[in-house]
Amino acid sequence: EAQVTQNPRYLITVTGKKLTVTCSQNMNHEYMSWYRQDPGLGLRQIYYSMNVEVTDKGDVPEGYKVSRKEKRNFPLILESPSPNQTSLYFCATRRGSGELFFGEGSRLTVL
Amino acid sequence: AQKITQTQPGMFVQEKEAVTLDCTYDTSDPSYGLFWYKQPSSGEMIFLIYQGSYDQQNATEGRYSLNFQKARKSANLVISASQLGDSAMYFCAMSFFYNNNDMRFGAGTRLTVKP
């Protein structure tokens, strides 16, 4: 079954405590991306990766890092989380210009 | 600048009736795709329907159809015979054939189906 798996699904943390949200896909897609969803703003792209070792900034990259060492994995790293990073995060993948396949979402609260 | 606009923050519809969710977009690129996604209260994003900018006919998928008016730059989603399970957030999105590293989303419309 085609899947995009994110962990953790829910996380409450405190300001400044580094965290990583993992993302893994089994569809062998080259493209992966991270979005954040905030009320009234829809989904906004944080970072994307067109292939292994190739990453680039989206619209809202400040405060985030990513890496793409393997095709299937694309972790999102918050080095020093702040309350304005409280959001619902989605990892996604796609083949070519088709639809995005999303993970289940990770709801992050930064106190 | 490429932009997607959904002007209806919330909509109500009676069960079994049809409802139209509005979506307008702004682009000067001739090659693009338009997508609709559903997000139920459980949070996952579910792909519903796709329309390519060169497609001559409006897309349909079961009870979903996309009313594509290219000259007006609108891509409204029509849900026929609404069901209680259609209550959800709906997002319109756009991406480009020449540059498929991003998909731009509207702010979303929350649809509530009343029994």
Side-chain angles (χ1 to χ4, degrees):
Chain A
E1 180 190 353
Q3 276 189 325
V4 181
T5 304
Q6 294 178 226
N7 279 295
R9 295 286 313 281
Y10 302 91
L11 180 62
I12 300 174
T13 190
V14 296
T15 299
K17 186 176 181 181
K18 179 180 179 179
L19 67 93
T20 299
V21 186
T22 63
C23 175
S24 180
Q25 53 106 354
N26 64 359
M27 288 173 270
N28 203 35
H29 290 169
E30 292 178 343
Y31 173 86
M32 297 184 75
S33 63
W34 277 101
Y35 287 84
R36 62 178 287 174
Q37 181 185 348
D38 301 290
L41 297 176
L43 280 76
R44 295 176 294 167
Q45 191 184 55
I46 303 170
Y47 269 94
Y48 65 94
S49 171
M50 299 300 286
N51 212 328
V52 175
E53 302 292 358
V54 180
T55 63
D56 210 342
K57 297 176 180 178
D59 290 329
V60 288
E62 295 77 21
Y64 305 95
K65 285 174 58 177
V66 293
S67 68
R68 187 90 182 273
K69 293 184 170 55
E70 307 166 276
K71 197 173 192 177
R72 62 183 293 126
N73 295 324
F74 191 43
L76 179 70
I77 303 156
L78 286 72
E79 293 269 2
S80 183
S82 62
N84 65 10
Q85 293 178 296
T86 293
S87 189
L88 177 60
Y89 291 87
F90 286 101
C91 179
T93 183
R94 74 192 297 197
R95 181 168 53 212
S97 57
E99 75 271 22
L100 284 169
F101 294 91
F102 287 91
E104 311 98 317
S106 296
R107 189 168 291 281
L108 171 64
T109 301
V110 183
L111 302 175
Chain B
Q2 284 88 348
K3 189 177 177 182
I4 290 271
T5 302
Q6 295 180 254
T7 57
Q8 308 153 312
M11 289 278 287
F12 290 89
V13 64
Q14 205 68 37
E15 192 178 10
K16 299 181 185 176
E17 292 185 349
V19 62
T20 297
L21 306 183
D22 294 342
C23 173
T24 58
Y25 58 92
D26 185 18
T27 182
S28 57
D29 194 297
S31 304
Y32 53 88
L34 296 155
F35 303 78
W36 277 91
Y37 292 87
K38 172 184 179 182
Q39 185 181 44
S41 58
S42 50
E44 73 268 29
M45 294 288 285
I46 302 168
F47 166 69
L48 294 178
I49 195 167
Y50 165 81
Q51 179 86 42
S53 59
Y54 295 114
D55 293 343
Q56 296 294 313
Q57 295 197 332
N58 287 344
T60 61
E61 288 287 348
R63 294 186 299 110
Y64 303 109
S65 60
L66 202 153
N67 184 0
F68 180 46
Q69 298 188 43
K70 194 170 184 177
R72 296 181 61 188
K73 295 186 177 178
S74 74
N76 298 339
L77 178 70
V78 181
I79 305 175
S80 63
S82 296
Q83 302 172 356
L84 296 178
D86 294 333
S87 293
M89 275 293 276
Y90 289 82
F91 292 97
C92 180
M94 175 172 65
S95 70
F96 303 91
F97 297 160
Y98 76 91
N99 181 18
N100 59 7
N101 63 13
D102 190 15
M103 187 173 291
R104 301 230 159 235
F105 287 80
T109 296
R110 182 171 297 282
L111 176 67
T112 303
V113 180
K114 298 194 283 188

